[in-house]
């Protein structure tokens, strides 16, 4: 048990960054920043880092490869990560990455400068930092209420990840409650499983789009993700859904 309690250098992120970009994204972005500070790969006036997903995964073994890829894609879509290809061989599709520090500074300008000051100052690529070894933080409150801002809980971040991909946005509150209960039942209950089930459900929707409409999220997240939908694209009754299984 003792070996699991900070017997190795911890990965840490600023809570304000996690609030802004998401918890998983903040962890990945912080590590990219760490390596950019040490990078000698200068292209077009910027520092870049590159790695295969397998190599990146070694740095984030607590994420599945699917989750890691999705998190990096999320950072690209949000505009905080910029990708490029400076490989010598044309067939080499390894992505190069840099952080758009200007965008990060603008994001901080839109919020409380006190919370974002450390985040925005990290944008100076020439600054000598020790970004992978930040001071230990705690959410314990003090008498003057100067508590560290708690990062979003992992379960909320995980839910938002799967919810953003779900085709119907009705019943979010109930869906989240069902999701929390499901996750707490077993360590095997993961987003990777839900994404695999959602992929099948979306295929069913696409096959039957002329008559079938996605159910509210409050229903699907209440165990309906385990439904086994028939492959037939012809409905027995207009507008009704059919499934096999319990």
């Amino acid at each position: 048990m003792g070996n699991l309690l900070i017997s190795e250098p911890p990965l840490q992120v600023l809570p304000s960054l996690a609030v802004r970009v998401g918890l998983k994204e903040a962890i990945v972005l912080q590590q990219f920043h760490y390596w950019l500070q040490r990078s000698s790969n200068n292209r077009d006036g910027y520092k870049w880092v590159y790695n295969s997903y397998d190599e990146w995964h070694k740095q984030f073994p607590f994420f599945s490869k699917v989750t890691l890829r999705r998190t990096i894609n999320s950072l690209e879509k949000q505009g905080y990560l910029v990708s490029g290809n400076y490989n010598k061989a044309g067939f080499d599709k390894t992505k190069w990455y840099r952080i758009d520090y200007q965008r990060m500074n603008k994001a901080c300008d839109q919020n409380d400068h006190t919370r974002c000051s450390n985040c925005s100052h990290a944008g100076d690529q020439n600054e000598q930092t020790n970004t992978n070894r930040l001071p230990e933080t705690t959410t314990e409150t003090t008498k003057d209420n100067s508590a560290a801002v708690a990062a979003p809980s992992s379960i909320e971040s995980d839910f938002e990840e799967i919810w953003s991909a779900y085709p119907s946005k009705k019943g979010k509150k109930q869906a989240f409650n069902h999701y929390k209960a499901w996750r707490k039942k077993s360590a095997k209950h993961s987003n990777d499983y839900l994404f695999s089930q959602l992929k099948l459900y979306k295929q069913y929707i696409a096959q039957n789009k002329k008559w079938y409409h996605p159910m509210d999220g409050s229903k699907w997240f209440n165990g309906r993700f385990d439904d086994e939908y028939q492959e037939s694209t012809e409905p027995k009754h207009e507008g009704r859904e059919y499934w096999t299984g319990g």
Side-chain angles (χ1 to χ4, degrees):
M1 178 66 73
N3 290 336
L4 296 179
L5 298 175
I6 315 297
S7 59
E8 57 183 313
L11 285 173
Q12 298 179 354
V13 296
L14 291 174
S16 54
L17 178 61
V19 169
R20 165 56 53 181
V21 303
L23 183 56
K24 293 187 182 72
E25 287 81 356
I27 293 172
V28 171
L29 196 61
Q30 181 64 58
Q31 192 70 353
F32 274 49
H33 174 63
Y34 169 75
W35 287 116
L36 281 167
Q37 299 302 299
R38 289 147 182 80
S39 174
S40 59
N41 298 310
N42 292 285
R43 301 288 190 280
D44 298 330
Y46 298 100
K47 288 184 177 181
W48 298 78
V49 291
Y50 62 89
N51 245 334
S52 66
Y53 276 107
D54 286 339
E55 290 300 316
W56 283 124
H57 186 244
K58 292 179 182 178
Q59 299 188 41
F60 306 99
F62 39 83
F63 293 151
S64 70
K65 290 183 181 179
V66 172
T67 296
L68 178 58
R69 185 183 295 270
R70 191 178 296 119
T71 301
I72 292 175
N73 287 340
S74 171
L75 286 168
E76 285 192 72
K77 289 179 180 179
Q78 293 184 67
Y80 296 112
L81 271 187
V82 179
S83 63
N85 186 334
Y86 295 95
N87 302 305
K88 294 181 179 179
F91 59 83
D92 189 347
K93 302 302 181 182
T94 301
K95 275 190 173 182
W96 294 49
Y97 292 101
R98 68 175 177 86
I99 294 176
D100 188 340
Y101 289 106
Q102 286 187 333
R103 172 162 175 73
M104 292 197 66
N105 289 338
K106 289 180 181 178
C108 286
D109 288 341
Q110 296 171 2
N111 294 277
D112 182 8
H113 287 277
T114 302
R115 290 176 58 204
C116 290
S117 59
N118 289 334
C119 173
S120 61
H121 289 163
D124 183 0
Q125 292 202 29
N126 295 318
E127 179 186 5
Q128 295 300 316
T129 61
N130 194 22
T131 54
N132 70 328
R133 301 294 177 263
L134 298 176
E136 185 174 357
T137 60
T138 177
T139 56
E140 181 180 358
T141 58
T142 60
K143 292 183 180 180
D144 61 359
N145 294 323
S146 57
V149 178
S153 70
S154 177
I155 199 165
E156 288 182 8
S157 177
D158 288 349
F159 173 74
E160 290 296 338
E161 183 180 31
I162 184 71
W163 179 258
S164 65
Y166 190 73
S168 173
K169 301 306 178 185
K170 296 181 179 179
K172 181 177 181 179
K173 183 177 180 180
Q174 298 93 326
F176 180 50
N177 290 334
H178 294 317
Y179 176 85
K180 286 192 296 184
W182 179 76
R183 284 288 301 270
K184 290 178 180 179
K185 286 182 179 180
S186 172
K188 295 181 180 180
H189 291 176
S190 68
N191 266 22
D192 286 345
Y193 174 77
L194 286 184
F195 270 107
S196 67
Q197 295 299 100
L198 182 56
K199 180 179 179 181
L200 295 175
Y201 183 48
K202 283 185 172 181
Q203 289 175 350
Y204 178 84
I205 295 171
Q207 291 171 355
N208 301 278
K209 59 184 179 181
K210 291 183 179 180
W211 64 273
Y212 181 82
H213 299 286
M215 67 181 77
D216 291 358
S218 58
K219 293 182 179 180
W220 192 81
F221 283 89
N222 190 21
R224 295 292 298 276
F225 45 76
D226 281 328
D227 289 355
E228 297 180 7
Y229 289 88
Q230 298 174 358
E231 294 182 1
S232 172
T233 59
E234 293 298 326
K236 293 182 179 180
H237 297 284
E238 186 69 21
R240 296 188 62 184
E241 58 200 33
Y242 287 87
W243 68 93
T244 60

